[in-house]
Amino acid sequence: MRFAFVMDPLERILPDKDTTFVFMLESLRRGHEVYYVDPGDLFVHHTKPFARVRRTEVRRVAPEQREAVRPYQLFEERTEPLEWFDAVFMRKDPPFDLAYFFATQLLGLVDARRTLVVNDPRGLREANEKLYALNFPSVIPESFVSSDPVRLKAFLEELGGEMIIKPLAGCGGAGVFHLHRGDRNLNALLETATDNGRQLLMAQRYLPAVREGDKRLIMLDGEPLGATLRVPREDEHRGNIHVGGTCVRSDVSERDREICAALAPRIRTDGLYFVGLDIIGGFLTEVNVTSPTGVQEINALDGVRLESPVIDFVEARVAALPEHTGR
């Protein structure tokens, strides 16, 4: 098969961390052709979506060799309709900005009878990674969305004087604050975070269990694949790997399965095939859909290869497309 990966520049890839890297590696191992697509190289001609692409190969390279040997190689450049590919993986990292939004619009023009897009562009537009969790009230902590510092302070009091706030378009823990009633910086933090009442943000009850770890649970087609706990540093409230969180082994618990079951019907309807859930103390806090990561960390801790069932799933979905050419 031919797989296209819409993603950030290959020179920024982290071979020991990036989930996209192992998706590409597994695809190549099975004999599929892999193509790199910069989001800026998507275009539409007479309503048909095209891209300038380059065939690529990736490989494991020891850290001490990476200055001399790149973990990827790019080959010939060509321009093709997106329906020339069997599957297109949308793996551009957040933030979800206008460029990302328009890229999903272009990908939405792909004929879904011929080519699979993972995740579905419509689902990507629908599922803000913070707000989407509000569709599942039985499994989330008390939450509040507003741009009004006065209302947010009232919610803080409702929760007993402690809460987390985060920007709706943030990623990697950026802009996440742990607020306390008695903090003299409280007003300034709320004014800054809301841009003086012009920017919506999400507030949630602070979950002390975050000290034990913020669980990243990988879901495939509504079912749990594996999980890891991201434990924050002693001087941090955020467990994100980007800000120094440490990954430790974690099983998929019965509560995790309950959360997955609550999400699965909506997740499948929205075409969100590959998803990363953030779970703290048994509560869902975020649903990551743009380019969920965590696969390599779980692989290393559990001795598994989660990329294998993901590519199995893509191959099966492609083979079942009603107008797939079987190339």
Side-chain angles (χ1 to χ4, degrees), residues 23-325:
F23 285 173
M24 299 170 88
L25 204 61
E26 177 66 12
S27 300
L28 289 165
R29 190 186 69 80
R30 298 180 183 212
H32 303 314
E33 291 183 0
V34 167
Y35 291 80
Y36 163 72
V37 184
D38 184 285
D41 287 331
L42 297 169
F43 67 98
V44 175
H45 185 221
H46 294 313
T47 75
K48 192 169 187 176
F50 285 77
R52 183 173 63 176
V53 305
R54 294 189 70 179
R55 188 172 65 83
T56 187
E57 293 181 359
V58 298
R59 58 183 172 177
R60 295 283 189 192
V61 176
E64 63 273 14
Q65 297 179 319
R66 286 176 195 160
E67 286 194 12
V69 182
R70 292 188 303 185
Y72 67 90
Q73 185 174 2
L74 288 167
F75 296 93
E76 73 281 0
E77 180 183 295
R78 59 194 301 162
T79 297
E80 297 288 351
L82 291 181
E83 288 154 23
W84 185 72
F85 298 99
D86 298 276
V88 178
F89 293 74
M90 180 48 161
R91 294 289 303 175
K92 170 72 177 67
D93 285 343
F96 190 107
D97 53 15
L98 274 178
Y100 191 104
F101 176 81
F102 290 137
T104 67
Q105 295 276 7
L106 269 59
L107 290 171
L109 295 172
V110 173
D111 189 342
R113 299 168 300 176
R114 297 170 177 265
T115 298
L116 178 71
V117 181
V118 181
N119 284 321
D120 187 283
R122 178 183 55 83
L124 290 175
R125 291 193 298 273
E126 175 70 18
N128 172 273
E129 299 189 329
K130 310 295 190 295
L131 296 177
Y132 193 70
L134 299 176
N135 291 295
F136 313 102
S138 66
V139 296
I140 63 173
E142 297 95 320
S143 303
F144 190 77
V145 179
S146 177
S147 60
D148 185 345
V150 174
R151 291 183 185 275
L152 288 160
K153 285 182 71 175
F155 184 63
L156 177 68
E157 291 302 317
E158 180 184 324
L159 296 178
E162 191 176 17
M163 71 181 184
I164 291 288
I165 60 169
K166 44 193 171 183
L168 298 185
C171 58
V176 177
F177 292 101
H178 181 192
L179 302 187
H180 300 265
R181 175 195 291 140
D183 189 343
R184 290 190 176 93
N185 290 308
L186 178 61
N187 289 332
L189 285 169
L190 288 173
E191 290 163 6
T192 301
T194 64
D195 191 19
N196 289 304
R198 290 186 287 269
Q199 187 71 44
L200 283 170
L201 57 80
M202 173 172 276
Q204 288 181 328
R205 175 164 62 89
Y206 175 71
L207 301 168
V210 72
R211 302 309 311 163
E212 302 164 16
D214 178 349
K215 181 176 285 190
R216 167 54 58 88
L217 188 148
I218 299 295
M219 286 179 70
L220 176 65
D221 194 30
E223 299 292 335
L225 269 190
T228 180
L229 274 178
R230 299 166 298 176
V231 180
R233 297 182 331 206
E234 188 58 37
D235 62 346
E236 264 284 1
H237 65 269
R238 301 169 297 177
N240 305 76
I241 298 170
H242 294 292
V243 294
T246 301
C247 287
V248 300
R249 189 180 181 281
S250 178
D251 292 323
V252 176
S253 69
E254 188 57 39
R255 174 59 174 170
D256 296 334
R257 296 185 186 280
E258 290 174 4
I259 292 172
C260 290
L263 271 63
R266 176 68 181 266
I267 289 279
R268 293 183 179 121
T269 297
D270 289 340
L272 299 173
Y273 310 111
F274 185 76
V275 170
L277 306 184
D278 290 348
I279 300 172
I280 301 174
F283 290 95
L284 174 71
T285 60
E286 292 187 21
V287 183
N288 297 271
V289 301
T290 51
S291 61
T293 190
V295 163
Q296 292 215 57
E297 289 79 5
I298 297 169
N299 285 352
L301 291 164
D302 289 356
V304 295
R305 294 174 60 253
L306 296 189
E307 64 274 19
S308 183
V310 173
I311 302 303
D312 285 345
F313 170 82
V314 171
E315 289 173 341
R317 280 298 179 105
V318 166
L321 293 176
E323 295 190 17
H324 181 242
T325 60

